[in-house]
Amino acid sequence: MKKFYITTPIYYPSGKAHMGHCYSTVAADVVARYKRSRGFEVMFLTGTDEHGQKIELAAAADNLSPKSYVDKIVFEFKELWRTLGVSYDKFIRTTDDYHVNTVQKIFKTLYEKGQIYKGKYSGWYCVPCESFFADGKLKNDKCPDCGREVRQQEEEAYFFKLSEYSEKILEFYKNNPEFIQPESRKNEMINFIKSGLEDLCVSRTSFKWGIPVDFDRLHVVYVWLDALTNYVTALGYCQEDEKLFKKFWPADVHFVGKEIVRFHAVIWPAILMALDLEIPSKVYGHGWILFGDGQKMSKSRGNVVDPFVLCKRYGVDAIRYFLLREIPFGSDGYFSNEALITRINSDLANDLGNLISRSSKLAEKGFGSIIPLERENTNEDLKISELALKIINEFEIDMDDFKFSSALSKIWNLISACNKYIDENSPWKMVNIPEKHARLASILYNIFEVLRIISIAIAPIMPETSEKIQFQIGASKKICSWECAKKWGMFQNNNKISRGSALFPRIDCEKELESLEILNLNNNKKEESDKTCSIEDFKKIKLIVVKVLNCEIVKNSKKLLKLLVSGGIFERTVVSGISEYYSPENLIGHNVILVENLKPAKLCGIESHGMILAASSKNGKSVKVLFADSNEPGDTIS
Ligand code: MSP
């Protein structure tokens, strides 16, 4: 059996999943379903990329351990994929034991092969992007990727010898001209490589939430090596059972957003070359879903449209259809509720919905829903069958090239042709004229044949709708395989049509937009109220002035100080992450402010009772403890 391995990026579980995340996943699901229907044995992988400083910080802000923090979000991601009917074969979490162990093995292998070496990294660091940038790479002194503040950072780190791979990768592109899709992205990559590849930093010591380098425990594997290798660890590479790896590797295609093509088309092939592994056949860099203001949809910009809400209101298939039809896969495109509703009304309710409802109504009126044997075909009928078979072939070519929007537009041309065929033949006039019944039967038979073919074609994109159509037109599974989509006249005589409710009810656009606005407003208010803290909440926090009696640096930690403080009638140990900004002698003897009733927590094995208040500058470069030397230990702050 032919095999097909498709992957999505693994998502950062750092916030709620949004429509932007659904894009790759739904597209990959469509391909997986399509390939299965074409007889391939498919492995469809998705998952979550759970390590890194961003997650560590987000978890700390929520007062959770990184693992509990991501567990919650990963659950939501999985719920969303279930809602959207995503038929993945495997969901990988980079915190899964088998992945952690294999990444450690890969790291060690690369080190032993001399492909990874220890060095020092200094540069501008962007925390949210977890990336270092050289001086010249900043944009207006800010992160060139996200536009946020960056800070100078230096640390000991391991490096992968990426710079040695420029020629080999360019050569690979030459021999595999289809590797990067769409074509325009290939040119970007060639230019990027030609501008000079630097060795890649693959470990960090400045945060802990990552896979430890097992032979140098101060280091954790930096996220991209951890993340990219998921595509092989998920298949059991370097593990006891390599069956899946042997069967499915190399991947047939990695679907990724355009901003991470670089990692998949340059860094990933280099890592694979270093490991003597085959390189995937294709990396497809799709565009972004944008909002009206031209911004990429993302949680941090607060312009998220909740996919759960939209699926519930309009049905999952409408959302899947919209995502793939509205925006050509390689390009950026806009999302708006209005555009979504317009597509539902015009393409789904009017064109497709109408075709089914008017033809089944005619079948009911004319023949009690059973198309009779006696039929009378004309040249026009031949045209519609030829068109259907031509379009299904073109559809196949587009789907093989991941041109989903174009593939769907062809199916909708066929739907329009069918509606026109009905309009031009006016079959409703034949219902009450028995002599015309053979002709009427023929027209209806042809329409149901086209609908059968359409239902097979759209199954990967709109699985529920496809099934509903097949039920309504009485098409059994036997005549709905992919091969049957390419054959005309598969219906047995006397097939029974069942009239169901409208597949896609029309939506009153103006009213619906108003309702969505109110809904959004309420959701925002709820989110705000979840974020705000009432005076009662605030009163729960006990702030007390304490004197620092003793202070020392915590061994094996770059950031932590252990303080012994006195609040007059009590003494406490507090661990504070300020050693980059204060040495013990700057603190001993001073009065500081303690959050007295914070739940105790263990940091580097030391139980910390409370937290010292400090102010961080906006750019994150400096942290200043709030001294309270004019107060007495034990004074309370309110
Ligand atoms: N964890 C990395 C990927 C590692 S793959 C080995 C990552 N995660 S992400 O959560 O930030 O993004 C995952 C994918 O979602 C990316 O391909 C990104 O392009 C995609 N999208 C996020 N927002 C998007 C839109 N608004 N539109 C389309 N896709 C976008 O990067």
Side-chain angles (χ1 to χ4, degrees), residues 281-297:
S281 308
K282 215 166 262 179
V283 170
Y284 195 105
H286 64 72
W288 285 341
I289 299 185
L290 306 170
F291 269 89
D293 58 0
Q295 300 282 12
K296 180 180 165 203
M297 187 182 290

Side-chain angles (χ1 to χ4, degrees), residues 17-18 34 38 74 126 133 226 232 240 256 279 326 341 361 365 380-381 399 412 451 493 504 611 636:
H18 54 72
Y34 167 70
R38 304 264 337 251
V74 171
C126 173
F133 298 97
D226 172 357
V232 290
E240 231 167 72
V256 298
I279 293 169
E326 184 74 5
I341 295 165
K361 219 182 278 172
K365 278 196 180 158
E380 246 175 293
D381 301 335
M399 289 294 282
W412 257 255
L451 279 171
N493 290 315
F504 295 96
M611 184 172 82
T636 55

